[in-house]
Amino acid sequence: MAKDSTYKPINAYKMTSALKNIYYRLTPSSSSTSIPTRKNAAEFVKAPTTDALFPTTDPTIDGDECLQDCASCTIKYPRKFTIDEDEELYGHVKGWSTHLIVATGKTDWVRDVADEKGSIMEAVDKGSVKPSNGVSISRSCTCFHG
Amino acid sequence: MVSVYPVLVPVFTADHAQKLMLSASDIPVPDHSDHSTSVLLLPSFQIIDNVTPANTPDLITDFVNKGPTNTTPLSRPSQAADTSSEEAPTQTSAIPPTISSTSGLTSRPCPHKYLILLCSQKTRDARCGQSAPLLRKEFERHLQPLGLYRDLHDERPGGVGIYFISHVGGHKFSANVMIYRSAAAVEQSAAAADSGTEVVLDVNKAQEAEGNGEAAQCMWLARVRPEDCENIVRYTLLQGKLVKPQRQLRGGFDRSKQLTSW
């Protein structure tokens, strides 16, 4: 693709705007979540389900494409690529405050990247100065979710 | 059809860990004779240059600790595109664009509008080593026609930075894909949804004037396969919607709505 310095606007993935307008008139609030009342303006709340956090595609709004995997895909995982298919996924990752991504120019590293000698990962992990941000709050709220 | 029913759900959260997620990546090391490197810090979405083991304590003190976290509310979205002569409000953070200090560290905004991070660490799990290059190829194929693909040396604004990163956990659910969406991306898709229009991609001019702001959202997906990439670009990246949430969403956050999965 030529490196053109000016791009024409591209309409990405056409949606049926008529259908969408009808949808929004019938259901004025987002189907995915109601925002719970917070005790203070800066508070973050745990979303109990995936669609309380992010909306899920809906074929009546997003088109049938959202129901189908890519048909033109020719890239395949190796035959023996097997993973856990059954365990429930949502909500089991530990929270994190910040994400520091170090440029190393490599795509693989020693098993524990903090053991890469002379690296920034090593300096962060083994250094005496630790991150101090990320607020520690216990919070609970009762919220409407619908 | 969407059913709307009120459900009262008590929400309990544990103490929020003060955790810095640390990833090595294939972001190229800038060519400096002093062997310094750069780091990309999220959610502030800043690149800090001239980082060495010696000034890493200053990196933590002056940039990590002074910047926003995943549970810092997002600043008010920027107004229309007439802010070209001033810093856009979403850039508000404790980190100024450059910093003069004895550490020599300087920062600048990351040019990308979105990030796709793929775990590639073969030394932890063969599946991660196998899946990452294949997924990158597929993502490239779908991002190219949209003008969003950026290879490792392409810093044109407004596209997607795709990087291989080290182990993030959960390799039994390989492939793990973390998608970060900037405040500009979230604003744009929210506006499109409200008005019932398509997300229009007009890169370069607006992007260069305003910047993308901080990272507003992260979707941490797992069990991603090559045939998922098309819809992940079309719906998750561009519109912030999940295609297979039960199967694929591990967690994430939304700073514009002040929500987390933990």
Side-chain angles (χ1 to χ4, degrees), chain A residues 45-46 91 93-96 139, chain B residues 13 16 70-71 252-253 260-262:
Chain A
V45 173
K46 174 176 172 165
V93 291
K94 292 211 181 87
W96 73 107
R139 55 192 183 275
Chain B
T13 62
H16 177 156
N70 296 342
T71 53
F253 60 83
T260 57
S261 62
W262 57 84

Side-chain angles (χ1 to χ4, degrees), chain B residues 83-122:
Chain B
T83 57
S84 48
S85 59
E86 10 169 319
E87 231 185 4
T90 46
Q91 297 271 19
T92 307
S93 75
I95 306 176
T98 58
I99 191 167
S100 58
S101 77
T102 51
S103 68
L105 297 169
T106 59
S107 75
R108 55 189 165 96
C110 178
H112 303 312
K113 191 170 176 183
Y114 313 85
L115 293 177
I116 296 178
L117 305 177
L118 308 173
C119 177
S120 69
Q121 195 175 355
K122 207 184 308 183

Side-chain angles (χ1 to χ4, degrees), chain B residues 9 20 22 45 73 75 107 118 121 131 150 161 165 178 204 231:
Chain B
V9 179
L20 177 144
L22 181 60
F45 231 137
S75 326
S107 75
L118 308 173
Q121 195 175 355
S131 61
R150 302 287 183 269
I165 59 169
M178 295 181 82
N204 280 355
N231 276 346

Side-chain angles (χ1 to χ4, degrees), chain A residues 1 4-15 17 20-21 23-24 31 35 38 41-48 50 52-58 60-63 65-66 68-73 75-78 81-87 89-93 95-113 118-121 123-125 129-146, chain B residues 2 5 7-29 37-42 52-53 56-57 60-61 64-65 67 69-73 117 120-124 127 130-131 134-135 137-138 141 144-145 156 164-166 172-175 178 180 193 196-197 199-201 203-205 218-219 223-228 230-231 234-235 240-250 253 257-262:
Chain A
M1 181 170 155
D4 194 351
S5 59
T6 55
Y7 287 97
K8 293 201 179 79
I10 302 166
N11 290 324
Y13 304 111
K14 181 181 171 176
M15 289 185 261
S17 50
K20 272 187 78 84
N21 287 335
Y23 172 75
Y24 278 109
S31 66
I35 308 299
R38 291 174 171 77
E43 190 180 12
F44 275 62
V45 173
K46 174 176 172 165
T50 65
L53 182 54
F54 299 118
T56 304
T57 50
D58 178 341
T60 62
I61 305 163
D62 301 305
E65 294 94 337
C66 71
Q68 292 148 17
D69 291 342
C70 177
S72 63
C73 184
I75 288 175
K76 300 213 184 308
Y77 279 161
F81 192 101
T82 53
I83 57 163
D84 175 296
E85 306 273 355
D86 304 310
E87 233 177 88
L89 228 48
Y90 179 69
H92 300 295
V93 291
W96 73 107
S97 305
T98 55
H99 195 168
L100 194 68
I101 301 168
V102 181
T104 72
K106 305 191 325 175
T107 60
D108 201 11
W109 307 269
V110 299
R111 195 174 157 76
D112 183 346
V113 295
S119 69
I120 306 304
M121 298 81 67
V124 170
D125 189 65
V129 178
K130 297 296 178 199
S132 64
N133 57 1
V135 185
S136 232
I137 323 173
S138 285
R139 55 192 183 275
S140 65
C141 89
T142 310
C143 66
F144 278 101
H145 152 61
Chain B
V2 173
Y5 53 94
V7 172
L8 210 63
V9 179
V11 177
F12 300 101
T13 62
D15 277 336
H16 177 156
Q18 299 170 4
K19 186 180 156 197
L20 177 144
M21 189 181 284
L22 181 60
S23 299
S25 77
D26 68 341
I27 299 174
V29 179
T37 189
S38 299
V39 302
L40 171 55
L41 178 62
L42 295 161
T52 63
T56 293
I60 307 286
T61 310
V64 175
N65 289 349
T69 70
N70 296 342
T71 53
T72 307
L117 305 177
S120 69
Q121 195 175 355
K122 207 184 308 183
T123 53
R124 291 302 282 260
R127 291 169 293 191
Q130 291 163 345
S131 61
L134 297 175
L135 290 181
K137 248 202 170 91
E138 251 317 90
R141 189 165 76 87
Q144 279 279 16
R156 283 175 299 150
F164 290 169
I165 59 169
S166 52
K172 67 177 171 174
F173 309 119
S174 190
M178 295 181 82
Y180 281 95
T197 57
V199 174
V200 175
L201 303 169
V203 299
N204 280 355
K205 291 200 170 46
C218 178
M219 291 88 171
R223 298 191 179 121
V224 176
R225 301 184 55 88
E227 58 270 23
D228 293 322
E230 180 181 51
N231 276 346
R234 179 185 269 157
Y235 296 110
K241 296 179 181 177
L242 304 173
V243 188
K244 299 177 179 176
Q246 294 316 305
R247 177 173 167 73
Q248 294 184 335
L249 185 69
R250 291 191 72 187
F253 60 83
K257 296 193 168 147
Q258 296 181 207
L259 297 168
T260 57
S261 62
W262 57 84

